[in-house]
Amino acid sequence: MASHLRSASVPSSPRSCENNVEEKLQTLNASTSSTIEMVCDGLRKLGDIYNCIDVLASLPSGQFLLCKPQQRMAVEQELERSLVLLDLCDAVQVSFSELKATVQDMRLAIKRGDGAALQANIISWFHLAKKAQKQLKKICKKSSAPDQESCRVVKLLVEAREIAVKMIESSSDLMLKQIVMPNSSKWSLVSKTFQKTRVTCKEEQLQVLELDIADLESGVETLFRRLIQSRVSLLNTLSL
């Protein structure tokens, strides 16, 4: 029974497997990352896609092709580019940790009815989110253009990496939209948020945001591990 299920879910040939991965990448690339939930879902799907690409690269036909001199160079170049994505994952994880801590501070300020602390935490949130956005864009500039002569497996890796970069950038942009920054003339209204019903609403929203950030952390961490595994797999292939 298990073998039957496996044969039903795995493409019957390398070509059909490549087509399957390509379709998944095209669907993922066409989908918008306009919400945190969409980004988290996209990161999970990317992990599955990297698994499929690893299967292709580990097939005898895939290993033979990747070890050819011209393709070996393309693989080595993609291994270098993947380091940029690893740096990106690392940087955004630090950012998520800082932002999550700020959300926790906001919730504490609301519980205590401390308007001044809430104001300071909101300002801190925007400073951290903008700093992360700037840092991620700086890291992304290090990525170079792919070699158009690469084999299909390498091109799939390139496409997966570019989509991953786009999703991580989207997650950073979304952080800036999660909390509305009141202008200076409205800071006097902060105290009104401590009315019981409004406090409950704001606290629940912040709790949801904290959970969303945790989901993003988990998604990026999973992607990071898959990238490491993919690099190890490719390095092993080159050593054959």
Side-chain angles (χ1 to χ4, degrees):
M1 184 65 175
S3 61
H4 173 72
L5 290 175
R6 180 175 176 80
S7 63
S9 60
V10 177
S12 57
S13 69
R15 177 63 64 182
S16 61
C17 186
E18 289 175 357
N19 291 337
N20 183 42
V21 173
E22 182 63 39
E23 288 175 8
K24 289 180 178 179
L25 285 169
Q26 288 177 355
T27 300
L28 202 54
N29 194 37
S31 64
T32 59
S33 299
S34 56
T35 67
I36 292 175
E37 291 77 11
M38 287 181 175
V39 174
C40 290
D41 183 59
L43 291 171
R44 284 190 291 270
K45 289 178 179 177
L46 267 177
D48 294 337
I49 287 171
Y50 271 106
N51 280 333
C52 293
I53 296 175
D54 278 357
V55 169
L56 283 170
S58 63
L59 292 173
S61 58
Q63 291 178 338
F64 176 77
L65 184 60
L66 293 175
C67 286
K68 286 186 175 181
Q70 183 178 1
Q71 297 307 320
R72 176 183 287 271
M73 183 177 297
V75 173
E76 289 172 347
Q77 289 174 345
E78 182 55 28
L79 284 169
E80 284 297 315
R81 297 186 192 107
S82 70
L83 290 174
V84 176
L85 181 53
L86 289 174
D87 287 343
L88 200 62
C89 289
D90 187 57
V92 80
Q93 286 289 62
V94 172
S95 170
F96 287 153
S97 180
E98 292 175 339
L99 290 171
K100 190 165 65 174
T102 303
V103 171
Q104 292 168 348
D105 289 340
M106 287 184 202
R107 293 178 63 189
L108 185 59
I110 291 174
K111 286 180 180 179
R112 291 177 175 176
D114 190 341
L118 178 60
Q119 174 181 340
N121 288 324
I122 291 175
I123 292 174
S124 176
W125 167 276
F126 278 92
H127 285 168
L128 288 170
K130 288 180 179 179
K131 182 184 76 172
Q133 192 179 51
K134 184 177 180 180
Q135 183 182 14
L136 296 184
K137 290 184 184 301
K138 184 177 180 180
I139 293 174
C140 288
K141 288 181 180 179
K142 298 178 183 178
S143 183
S144 55
D147 185 352
Q148 295 302 315
E149 299 302 319
S150 300
C151 67
R152 199 169 184 189
V153 170
V154 175
K155 288 182 178 180
L156 291 175
L157 284 168
V158 170
E159 192 173 350
R161 173 175 51 80
E162 290 176 343
I163 292 173
V165 168
K166 184 175 73 171
M167 284 189 175
I168 291 175
E169 283 190 297
S170 293
S171 71
S172 177
D173 294 339
L174 285 169
M175 288 297 100
L176 279 170
K177 300 176 182 178
Q178 300 307 304
I179 295 178
V180 178
M181 180 71 160
N183 59 43
S184 57
S185 65
K186 293 183 179 179
W187 279 119
S188 60
L189 300 178
V190 170
S191 60
K192 292 184 179 180
T193 65
F194 297 111
Q195 296 173 12
K196 187 173 181 180
T197 55
R198 294 192 181 187
V199 169
T200 301
C201 179
K202 185 177 289 291
E203 213 175 336
E204 288 175 352
Q205 290 171 346
L206 289 174
Q207 185 176 15
V208 170
L209 178 55
E210 187 177 339
L211 293 173
D212 283 343
I213 296 174
D215 285 343
L216 284 171
E217 285 181 309
S218 176
V220 173
E221 176 61 28
T222 299
L223 176 61
F224 184 89
R225 290 198 302 269
R226 286 299 309 120
L227 285 168
I228 294 295
Q229 292 171 4
S230 178
R231 284 178 56 80
V232 170
S233 176
L234 289 173
L235 287 169
N236 286 339
T237 295
L238 294 182
S239 68
L240 294 175

